[in-house]
Amino acid sequence: MVAAVFLSFVAAIFTMGDPIEGGRPIIWTIWYVAVFLIIMMALYDFSKLSKTRMKRVALVGTVVGVVFFSSVKGYYVYTAGLRIEERGVELLDYKPFQQDSNLAKLDAPASFKIGSDVPRLDGATALYPLYAAFVEATYPSGNYDPYRPDASRVVSTTTGEAYDRLIYGQADIIFVAGPSDRQIAAAERTDVKFNMTPIGREAFIFFVHEDNPVDSLELEEIQQIYAGDIRNWKEVGGKDDSIRAFQRPEGSGSQTALQRMMGERELMDAPVEDVPEGMGGIIEQAAVYQNHKNAIGFSFRFYASEMITEHDIKLLQVNGVAPTVETIADGTYPITSEFYAITTEERYEQYKPFLDWMTSEEGQALVEQTGYVPLAKD
């Protein structure tokens, strides 16, 4: 009996899915083995089954364990083949004042410099390469670790956390998309007013798996998908397959952009499993966007095409227009918006020289060299 139980346990371990995928197979294994042991001990102590029949029961339990956990393994292998994965962004690749960084650089020293009392900066992951370039151009040389909000004066948390840190005086300038209604309400509750300086333009984009035959959607169709009115790809020229429409956490820059894109339409509720963290969190580890070949997701162009380069996705055209630097600049891509350097009204005058420099020729040169679209010239 003990040998059979042990064999069942070993079979479960070797046939289960990857425990890193969420840990559930380990829990299933422990529960299965525990219940199996209890049943076998009860039968052994209280039944009058012969040893032959006990062996048969143990064999059946082992077979059931192998079949069950082999099925679990098969499920993980199958879904891994379907998954769209956003490989992780390593912010240290863009850390200022280090050799071989990926930062954009000016051809000559910046005309504006900051002394020892440097502003505390925070912002969205997608904008970190830009404001890290601002830091390298204007700050004194130092160790500005993007993952250490407890120790570094230049970090990248999330859009939502950056707004919170600005509201509660833990950051001086944040680099983000415009605030959501919740973030505006949170500022009003603490009697804080935002001062928003536009520093560039960006496209809000939608993507699908590269094997999806759909290449373009009308803006109206995207709104209908996220309202829950269109639920099958065949309704928009694709295969007969249900649409899995992913969303982002509330308060993230991209989720706020989605809510604004919806206009007067009501955004459907997304299942919890369809709201991955993605571009959020202090991303010391890779952010994984686990969606499938029938899925649609969204992000910002620079993040999806420049910071994340190893993936199996394609960016959709909207109204027949691809999201490119040129179509953002001339306004033909229909979902574009400005992004901001935001401080509070209380601190605006203190940091105005730095903010003015960001919109100057030098600052806008770094915007363009980073890969974003600079502000239109007057």
Side-chain angles (χ1 to χ4, degrees):
M1 180 191 70
V2 174
V5 173
F6 178 76
L7 177 60
S8 179
F9 176 77
V10 172
I13 289 293
F14 278 94
T15 57
M16 71 180 181
D18 186 353
I20 297 176
E21 295 279 0
R24 291 181 182 178
I26 288 180
I27 296 173
W28 294 338
T29 302
I30 293 172
W31 274 104
Y32 180 83
V33 174
V35 171
F36 187 43
L37 275 171
I38 291 171
I39 292 173
M40 291 300 296
M41 290 176 66
L43 288 173
Y44 184 79
D45 289 338
F46 300 111
S47 74
K48 296 182 180 180
L49 294 177
S50 65
K51 289 185 178 180
T52 300
R53 290 187 176 180
M54 287 291 292
K55 289 179 180 178
R56 289 176 182 173
V57 172
L59 179 60
V60 169
T62 300
V63 171
V64 170
V66 170
V67 171
F68 175 73
F69 288 102
S70 294
S71 300
V72 172
K73 178 65 175 180
Y75 169 79
Y76 278 107
V77 171
Y78 174 71
T79 55
L82 297 177
R83 182 178 304 151
I84 293 173
E85 211 174 292
E86 282 186 5
R87 304 295 198 269
V89 175
E90 179 50 74
L91 295 185
L92 293 178
D93 291 342
Y94 301 93
K95 183 180 175 182
F97 302 111
Q98 67 173 359
Q99 289 184 344
D100 302 323
S101 76
N102 294 334
L103 291 180
K105 302 178 187 296
L106 295 173
D107 294 332
S111 59
F112 173 80
K113 294 290 184 181
I114 298 176
S116 57
D117 187 18
V118 298
R120 297 166 296 173
L121 308 184
D122 197 353
T125 303
L127 289 171
Y128 177 74
L130 175 57
Y131 65 88
F134 290 166
V135 167
E136 187 166 271
T138 63
Y139 276 41
S141 180
N143 181 23
Y144 303 101
D145 191 329
Y147 296 127
R148 292 289 307 277
D150 60 324
S152 175
R153 296 186 74 84
V154 179
V155 299
S156 177
T157 58
T158 66
T159 295
E161 188 171 348
Y163 270 106
D164 287 343
R165 296 184 75 231
L166 178 66
I167 290 170
Y168 294 106
Q170 298 167 332
D172 300 313
I173 304 173
I174 62 173
F175 297 81
V176 288
S180 67
D181 292 342
R182 284 190 182 185
Q183 287 153 351
I184 292 172
E188 290 176 347
R189 285 195 298 270
T190 54
D191 199 27
V192 169
K193 294 182 180 180
F194 297 136
N195 188 292
M196 302 167 56
T197 301
I199 58 174
R201 294 185 61 79
E202 177 61 315
F204 183 55
I205 59 91
F206 291 84
F207 58 81
V208 295
H209 195 281
E210 65 180 0
D211 292 338
N212 191 320
V214 175
D215 295 317
S216 180
L217 289 172
E218 296 298 305
L219 180 57
E220 172 76 10
E221 291 173 331
I222 296 173
Q223 291 172 332
Q224 288 179 304
I225 288 172
Y226 276 92
D229 299 330
I230 293 178
R231 296 180 177 271
N232 194 297
W233 282 109
K234 69 179 180 180
E235 299 179 62
V236 290
K239 296 179 180 179
D240 185 6
D241 199 357
S242 61
I243 298 175
R244 190 173 182 183
F246 279 78
Q247 296 187 37
R248 296 290 193 184
E250 181 68 33
S252 66
S254 53
Q255 184 70 8
T256 299
L258 177 71
Q259 292 164 345
R260 288 179 178 161
M261 183 217 67
M262 293 296 291
E264 297 300 318
R265 291 181 184 271
E266 184 176 353
L267 180 65
M268 67 177 177
D269 293 331
V272 173
E273 64 270 20
D274 288 355
V275 186
E277 286 297 320
M279 292 165 62
I282 303 176
I283 54 172
E284 295 182 3
Q285 299 179 349
V288 179
Y289 197 121
Q290 296 183 358
N291 68 4
H292 301 74
K293 289 185 179 179
N294 65 334
I296 182 170
F298 54 85
S299 183
F300 292 103
R301 179 199 57 86
F302 179 79
Y303 182 87
S305 61
E306 301 295 333
M307 296 183 77
I308 302 290
T309 57
E310 298 178 8
H311 49 47
D312 298 321
I313 65 174
K314 63 178 176 182
L315 308 191
L316 290 174
Q317 298 176 24
V318 179
N319 294 351
V321 181
T324 66
V325 169
E326 293 75 21
T327 60
I328 298 170
D330 64 23
T332 54
Y333 183 76
I335 321 174
T336 60
S337 61
E338 294 174 329
F339 54 87
Y340 303 90
I342 302 180
T343 186
T344 62
E345 285 289 353
E346 181 182 2
R347 301 190 186 117
Y348 172 68
E349 288 299 327
Q350 179 181 355
Y351 300 119
K352 186 176 183 301
F354 190 21
L355 297 168
D356 288 343
W357 177 83
M358 295 177 199
T359 61
S360 72
E361 184 176 345
E362 291 177 353
Q364 291 297 289
L366 288 177
V367 171
E368 184 172 16
Q369 290 175 30
T370 297
Y372 284 104
V373 178
L375 299 171
K377 297 180 180 179
D378 295 332

